Amino acid sequence: MKLTLIAIGSRGDVQPIVALGRGLLEAGYAVRMVTLESFETMVRGQGLEFFPVEGDAQALTNEMMLAGMKGNGLNLLAMYRGIMRTFGAITQSYQKSFAADALRDSDAILSQLPGGFYGYDLAEALKVPYIALSVIPQEVTGAYPLSLLPAQFSLGPWYNRLTYSIGQQLAWHPFRNSINTFRRQFGLPPTSFWWGNMRRMKHERVPVIQGFSEHVIPVQPDWGDHVHT
């Protein structure tokens, strides 16, 4: 069985997924890792097949952090703009990489954001299972707000859930045109203007594997039993 794992971002985003890939390899699966070119040595060093996406993780991270440093601290709005500018600028590279013929032998797709925006669509096109991966808390809960916001500031469960909806919208829209272009390459209809496939994934209870311990982030009852830590 051929598993394709997709991870785009800094070392902190990619290395845990490489570790997962190594574990799956040792369990007897054929594992392909799709990630930025700068992680090739890490991926191949774990015996995993490597498929490159153009881009340098350190350059992306540096630009994002520089954009976020304003005054005496971290400006979250500026950081968000930096994230969207750096990742959004290479969406054409994403389209080209994820549409490659070399990925079409995948028996399942496992992916985290922002690659997850393409991974779910690729799995739909290939008619194979999709599993979402996460190395930070992203599942909607009333227990605390989205992790980019101060946890000590909360107006209660309704506010906490709202922050996730807002965060999903902010993350989705810079990729919307690129994703629909990508879907057209596979003969798929355009996805939702407001939610992309995120709402579909929720309704379908797509399995989620979270890459952090329940001792760090306790399991929340409103996550659902399709979310695994």
Side-chain angles (χ1 to χ4, degrees):
M1 187 175 188
K2 186 65 167 283
L3 304 180
T4 294
L5 278 61
I6 302 173
I8 305 293
S10 68
R11 186 184 184 105
D13 297 300
V14 176
Q15 189 165 350
I17 311 305
V18 173
L20 173 63
R22 176 68 186 189
L24 291 168
L25 181 69
E26 292 176 353
Y29 294 96
V31 181
R32 173 196 293 123
M33 188 79 194
V34 180
T35 188
L36 298 170
E37 296 169 320
S38 51
F39 292 115
E40 180 174 3
T41 300
M42 179 196 299
V43 172
R44 294 195 186 279
Q46 294 301 314
L48 308 178
E49 180 182 334
F50 174 74
F51 187 84
V53 176
E54 288 182 22
D56 182 282
Q58 192 59 54
L60 290 175
T61 303
N62 288 346
E63 184 172 345
M64 179 187 73
M65 292 304 296
L66 286 172
M69 295 305 296
K70 301 291 183 181
N72 296 322
L74 190 62
N75 185 305
L76 293 177
L77 179 59
M79 174 175 268
Y80 169 76
R81 289 171 176 164
I83 292 171
M84 292 301 99
R85 182 169 60 253
T86 53
F87 287 113
I90 58 174
T91 53
Q92 287 188 339
S93 173
Y94 292 169
Q95 290 177 39
K96 178 181 177 182
S97 296
F98 299 141
D101 290 342
L103 302 185
R104 300 193 185 194
D105 62 348
S106 304
D107 293 307
I109 307 290
L110 295 82
S111 181
Q112 57 155 262
L113 294 176
F117 286 136
Y118 299 83
Y120 180 87
D121 303 274
L122 178 59
E124 181 182 355
L126 299 179
K127 296 181 173 60
V128 300
Y130 176 78
I131 298 174
L133 305 176
S134 176
V135 296
I136 63 172
Q138 298 180 41
E139 297 305 305
V140 178
T141 179
Y144 46 76
L146 186 66
S147 58
L148 290 176
L149 298 174
Q152 63 269 26
F153 177 76
S154 173
L155 300 176
W158 68 270
Y159 165 81
N160 293 339
R161 293 189 182 95
L162 178 63
T163 64
Y164 291 88
S165 297
I166 294 171
Q168 288 172 351
Q169 292 301 307
L170 292 174
W172 158 243
H173 278 283
F175 293 92
R176 180 173 61 85
N177 289 335
S178 175
I179 287 294
N180 282 326
T181 298
F182 180 72
R183 290 177 64 83
R184 283 196 295 271
Q185 291 179 260
F186 289 97
L188 298 174
T191 190
S192 164
F193 176 85
W194 289 110
W195 295 98
N197 284 320
M198 288 183 284
R199 181 162 286 183
R200 282 180 60 194
M201 291 168 66
K202 181 179 179 180
H203 289 166
E204 293 170 5
R205 297 175 67 81
V206 165
V208 179
I209 298 176
Q210 301 188 122
F212 45 83
S213 170
E214 62 183 291
H215 299 293
V216 177
I217 304 293
V219 174
Q220 300 301 321
D222 53 355
W223 282 346
D225 57 10
H226 63 292
V227 179
H228 307 277
T229 298

